[in-house]
Amino acid sequence: MRVEAVEVVVAQLSLRAPVHSAGVTHADKATLFFRVVTDEGSGWGECSAYADARSPDPTVEAIEPTTVDRAIARLFTGSVGGNLPSASSVAGVCVGGGSVGEQSVAGALEMAVLDAELRSASRSLASLLGVAHREVGVGDVVGIPPEHDLGALIDAVGAALDEGARRVRIKIEPGWDHEPLSAVRERYADAVLQADANGSFEPGAAAGLRGLDTYGLRCLEQPFVAEDLQSHRALAESMSTPIALDESLWSVARVRDAVQAGACRVACVKPGRLGGVFAAIAAAEACAEAGVECFVGGFFETGLGRCVNAALAGRAEFSLPGDLGDPDRYLAANPFAYLPEESGTVRLSDAPGLGAELRPGVMAAHRTYTRRVDFGS
Ligand SMILES: [Mg+2]
């Protein structure tokens, strides 16, 4: 396959309703896409960068155009008029300094190359990744309700469970921890619940956090800032609820450090942050070797990124339900159709490519920026 061009596309998307987590409200979902054009067809990739991203994750503005141009040059300049690089080589070529911004761009370019490669070979992503399960469990996330309204929280958790969610991840923050979790547990005695603090607690809050053991949580995610593995390890050793890490896991090397340090018993693995699906597999394998459970975490992806996440979640290392609900439920407009979902599971696609189909009208209506980098003639 010969590379002809790469298109850089930004679509101005938004969430149907704002989602609040500790210290930030997500509403704008402007999304960066790449389309790799070859002589045998094209492939799409989606970048995990988003408008309200917090450290360690980048915003779209922070990476376009500088990081994007550098990655495209590294990846395709050597192949002017030449062959498409293999998808498994993309992250190694694109990630120079190892920043999360570079990794997020590499992950998106890898996705586009992978889509083109798989379509040309008439192969599905699930087949390439060697998935253990064709049907994967769907978990849901419930944000902090406006004005900390307990009734609204109970209703949102109930709606997620009614839709079949295999677990519900509840966002917490200092001052919004015991009361919401106690109320939800009282109402839904058997629900599988996780709490996600997005790094909002100080290490001095550990004694109060230990009290969350009462609520039978599947895990407590990222109580402290991303850099602080030591406080996570100390808390993990002093509570029965497993500690999960998310923001702390900003690279494959960092995942290895965290699991070897005993800082978590659960890992939220995000291919968009780590540099793509192959990096995510390496991270998950490191977790499996250390006896750490994994789930696939989301960034409110469109159907494109979420299809990749779902296929990844079909691998044996992912024993916990991921953030794999249909983007049509949270995006006001979704430019890529997602997988069929039934009774809390999605069925992976056997179609050639990533499993997501472009909705051209939706993309055209929301596309606010396009530039094309041509190679060869
Ligand atoms: Mg999280």
Side-chain angles (χ1 to χ4, degrees):
M1 249 187 305
R2 322 238 343 142
V3 193
E4 294 176 351
V6 179
E7 285 177 8
V8 182
V9 173
V10 176
Q12 193 60 54
L13 307 176
S14 59
L15 299 186
R16 285 182 182 276
V19 175
H20 309 275
S21 60
V24 70
T25 297
H26 304 288
D28 180 344
K29 190 54 184 87
T31 303
L32 173 66
F33 297 94
F34 296 115
R35 180 167 168 261
V36 171
V37 182
T38 79
D39 59 346
E40 292 181 31
S42 62
W44 281 92
E46 173 178 348
C47 183
S48 61
Y50 62 106
D52 303 301
R54 288 176 300 193
S55 177
D57 301 302
T59 62
V60 176
E61 297 74 25
I63 55 171
E64 163 60 21
T66 314
T67 309
V68 166
D69 284 346
R70 202 165 50 225
I72 289 175
R74 282 191 182 129
L75 191 57
F76 298 114
T77 301
S79 49
V80 171
N83 291 328
L84 188 71
S86 75
S88 60
S89 73
V90 171
V93 175
C94 289
V95 178
S99 73
V100 179
E102 282 185 322
Q103 289 167 188
S104 72
V105 171
L109 284 168
E110 177 194 277
M111 201 186 294
V113 170
L114 200 49
D115 192 24
E117 215 175 74
L118 290 166
R119 285 176 189 272
S120 164
S122 293
R123 193 167 182 200
S124 71
L125 179 60
S127 151
L128 179 79
L129 297 187
V131 301
H133 312 286
R134 286 281 167 174
E135 290 185 346
V136 294
V138 172
D140 209 342
V141 180
V142 171
I144 298 169
E147 295 170 22
H148 292 143
D149 180 343
L150 270 179
L153 175 73
I154 301 279
D155 290 348
V157 172
L161 294 171
D162 286 347
E163 281 181 344
R166 300 293 173 95
R167 62 93 168 126
V168 181
R169 198 147 141 242
I170 297 170
K171 297 287 186 176
I172 62 169
E173 64 184 356
W176 180 253
D177 41 31
H178 283 268
E179 197 184 2
L181 294 173
S182 168
V184 170
R185 179 51 81 206
E186 193 171 311
R187 178 68 182 79
Y188 306 106
D190 301 325
V192 178
L193 303 176
Q194 299 179 196
D196 183 4
N198 293 101
S200 58
F201 287 83
E202 297 292 331
L209 291 169
R210 279 194 281 278
L212 301 182
D213 273 344
T214 315
Y215 309 118
L217 302 174
R218 189 64 182 76
C219 59
L220 167 60
E221 181 176 331
Q222 199 72 49
F224 309 124
V225 293
E227 292 73 17
D228 188 357
L229 292 185
Q230 183 49 43
S231 294
H232 285 103
R233 178 189 170 164
L235 187 63
E237 286 172 350
S238 65
M239 358 186 3
S240 59
T241 304
I243 297 300
L245 290 178
D246 173 0
E247 287 89 341
S248 287
L249 307 181
W250 60 66
S251 69
V252 177
R254 175 73 170 178
V255 172
R256 292 199 182 101
D257 289 347
V259 299
Q260 281 164 16
C264 64
R265 281 161 57 195
V266 175
C268 172
V269 174
K270 293 180 166 171
R273 175 189 290 153
L274 293 170
V277 74
F278 299 107
I281 289 171
E285 286 173 342
C287 289
E289 276 171 32
V292 168
E293 294 184 282
C294 295
F295 69 92
V296 178
F299 285 114
F300 302 111
E301 296 85 5
T302 74
L304 180 64
R306 199 145 274 209
C307 274
V308 174
N309 288 0
L312 177 68
R315 283 183 55 100
E317 296 90 353
F318 292 88
S319 53
L320 301 177
D323 298 335
L324 299 173
D326 191 333
D328 286 355
R329 288 213 294 270
Y330 55 80
L331 289 178
N334 170 22
F336 288 90
Y338 187 55
L339 305 167
E341 183 179 341
E342 197 180 342
S343 313
T345 61
V346 287
R347 169 168 279 280
L348 301 181
S349 173
D350 293 317
L354 304 178
E357 286 306 320
L358 176 68
R359 292 166 166 164
V362 178
M363 183 61 93
H366 294 274
R367 179 192 287 244
T368 52
Y369 169 85
T370 306
R371 64 189 174 97
R372 184 180 165 105
V373 184
D374 282 294
F375 300 100
S377 55

